[in-house]
Amino acid sequence: RETIEETSAYGQVTEDHMGYIRLASFDMNTAQQFREALTQMEEAGVEGLVIDLRANIGGIVDQSVEIADMLMDEGIVVYQEDGHGERVYYRTEDGRTPLDYVILVNGATASASEVLVAGVQDNEEGVILGTQTYGKGIMQKTWGLKNGDGIEITFAQYYSPSGKVIHGVGITPDVVVELEESDVEGNYIVNDRQLEEAVKLLKDRARE
């Protein structure tokens, strides 16, 4: 037997000479995989970068914060607050990628994905494009009971750097672009107008 490492971040250079990185989830090695893909895009000299967080339901928050550190200069990504008002801040340092980027989101962008999006949006580091995110911004723990049952307790909540509630609300994109029914067949996007709009936006910004 051998250990199989799941790929949760993968990238490619498009025909438009744009970078595209898909983040499927936030697992143990996602930040490292993202770093490798980002380095590839930077070395290729792409005009801009699209980061796809659509249908990413989250995972390990520390991984999303580590990725935020590659996309943001010094700032707050999010903070958590418990029932006593005690706060824990997640921060980044200077040294973000020089690439201009757009993050794609939709109604299935949740949890750790929204942590990343909240930091980028409130710090005005990149453009968020797509539709309203899911709205999962709480921290929970589960304890097992002697009879085999369990109890799950919510003990803290995430907030954007400016104090906006994420849970039950979601994050509104900077640029709202809906997919039409005809754009989707089953679970597949056959006409990705969101990606097309992101590429157009990056090209327009590159000309400015």
Side-chain angles (χ1 to χ4, degrees):
R1 298 180 180 180
E2 63 179 305
T3 301
I4 298 175
E5 182 178 312
E6 184 177 354
T7 301
S8 52
Y10 50 90
Q12 64 181 29
V13 178
T14 70
E15 294 179 358
D16 296 314
H17 201 55
M18 289 287 174
Y20 173 87
I21 300 178
R22 166 70 180 151
L23 285 170
S25 59
F26 291 93
D27 302 322
M28 287 296 295
N29 298 307
T30 302
Q32 179 57 37
Q33 292 171 2
F34 181 85
R35 186 182 301 277
E36 292 169 359
L38 180 61
T39 299
Q40 176 190 353
M41 302 304 149
E42 292 173 346
E43 292 177 347
V46 296
E47 291 183 48
L49 176 64
V50 178
I51 302 168
D52 195 345
L53 288 178
R54 292 175 297 182
N56 183 324
I57 60 173
I60 303 171
V61 170
D62 287 348
Q63 292 290 300
S64 70
V65 173
E66 190 173 340
I67 291 173
D69 193 41
M70 303 177 215
L71 301 175
M72 293 171 48
D73 278 325
E74 183 178 1
I76 298 170
V77 185
V78 292
Y79 65 87
Q80 69 183 57
E81 183 174 312
D82 64 19
H84 302 290
E86 296 292 326
R87 294 182 178 182
V88 176
Y89 290 87
Y90 295 80
R91 302 177 184 273
T92 55
E93 298 179 356
D94 281 339
R96 59 152 283 176
T97 178
L99 294 177
D100 193 13
Y101 62 89
V102 173
I103 298 181
L104 299 181
V105 298
N106 65 6
T109 301
S111 191
S113 294
E114 292 173 293
V115 165
L116 174 57
V117 172
V120 167
Q121 185 179 61
D122 274 17
N123 287 280
E124 299 181 350
E125 294 280 7
V127 178
I128 313 302
L129 185 148
T131 56
Q132 190 83 3
T133 64
Y134 182 79
K136 173 70 161 62
I138 54 176
M139 302 182 71
Q140 298 171 307
K141 284 185 178 179
T142 302
W143 284 268
L145 303 178
K146 291 181 179 180
N147 65 356
D149 292 339
I151 182 170
E152 187 172 69
I153 296 178
T154 299
F155 64 94
Q157 184 168 196
Y158 288 112
Y159 295 85
S160 78
S162 63
K164 291 181 289 189
V165 174
I166 296 173
H167 192 71
V169 178
I171 298 170
T172 303
D174 301 310
V175 181
V176 176
V177 178
E178 302 270 359
L179 290 178
E180 306 291 340
E181 285 188 17
S182 57
D183 296 332
V184 181
E185 291 184 3
N187 294 323
Y188 298 95
I189 300 173
V190 294
N191 179 36
D192 199 341
R193 65 180 71 241
Q194 292 171 332
L195 177 58
E196 291 173 357
E197 189 62 30
V199 170
K200 180 179 181 297
L201 189 153
L202 286 168
K203 284 187 172 292
D204 288 345
R205 288 162 65 101
R207 296 189 190 100
E208 295 177 355

